[in-house]
Amino acid sequence: PGRARESVERAIALLTISAGVALAEAVERVTGLSPAIKWPNDLLVERRKLAGILAEGVASPGSGALHAVVLGFGLNVMSAAYPPELSTIVTSLDSELGRGVDRAEVCAEALASLAERYRDLLDARYDAILDAWRARAFGSRGAKVEWDTPAGVRTGVTEGVDAMGALL
């Protein structure tokens, strides 16, 4: 029971990272672009955001135990009239490629890739997921970061991710 619980907790912890890898792989298969992944949930092309991923847990009524996880992603497929302040920080598939993209093909490939990476989670192939994420990681080593705490703003330098996908 203890080992099984640890495995479930690790799989849940790596779900967003797995989804990032899956979506990046799907985009690469369909378009030839190679998105980087910014920890934990953004896909970037040339430092501009192409996609975001969100996973939200659903607790069982009464027990509060995790019952399900809802996973969603937003992928900029078509160009939009971005406000000037966003034009240098966001991008889309058609902007990067200079042509339109078949949304159904992108969606089908994303679902197939998510299924592959979900199978990795179920089969406890965590190192394969982390290795694939690290190969695409943007800013996970040596980046200066700052974050808010109740005691004030803290600063540090990133050192990668641990076995649970947490930023070091």
Side-chain angles (χ1 to χ4, degrees):
R3 181 169 244 142
R5 181 176 173 82
E6 287 175 21
S7 184
V8 168
E9 288 173 358
R10 190 165 182 202
I12 292 167
L14 293 176
L15 183 61
T16 302
I17 283 177
S18 297
V21 169
L23 189 55
E25 291 170 339
V27 166
E28 186 166 15
R29 287 180 193 143
V30 173
T31 68
L33 296 171
S34 295
I37 305 171
K38 182 179 174 189
W39 183 87
N41 59 348
D42 289 339
L43 266 57
L44 307 177
V45 174
E46 300 295 325
R47 297 180 179 246
R48 292 183 311 236
K49 186 172 179 175
L50 177 68
I53 297 158
L54 180 64
E56 187 169 324
V58 178
S60 294
S63 72
L66 185 65
H67 174 71
V69 176
V70 177
L71 180 69
F73 64 87
L75 174 63
N76 298 331
V77 177
M78 298 175 11
S79 298
Y82 303 120
E85 64 271 14
L86 297 181
S87 64
T88 60
I89 60 174
V90 298
T91 191
S92 64
L93 293 178
D94 69 348
S95 291
E96 293 300 317
L97 297 170
R99 61 174 170 80
V101 177
D102 183 340
R103 289 180 291 176
E105 182 183 8
V106 172
C107 186
E109 192 61 46
L111 292 173
S113 191
L114 284 165
E116 290 171 21
R117 290 303 176 171
Y118 185 62
R119 175 56 51 199
D120 286 343
L121 287 173
L122 293 177
D123 293 342
R125 290 191 293 264
Y126 308 127
D127 288 339
I129 293 164
L130 287 166
D131 289 345
W133 185 87
R134 288 180 182 117
R136 293 182 181 273
F138 171 83
S140 66
R141 291 194 92 81
K144 293 180 182 178
V145 293
E146 62 179 50
W147 63 98
D148 293 323
T149 72
V153 176
R154 304 283 313 263
T155 61
V157 177
T158 58
E159 293 294 327
V161 295
D162 67 12
M164 298 290 277
L167 190 62
L168 300 170

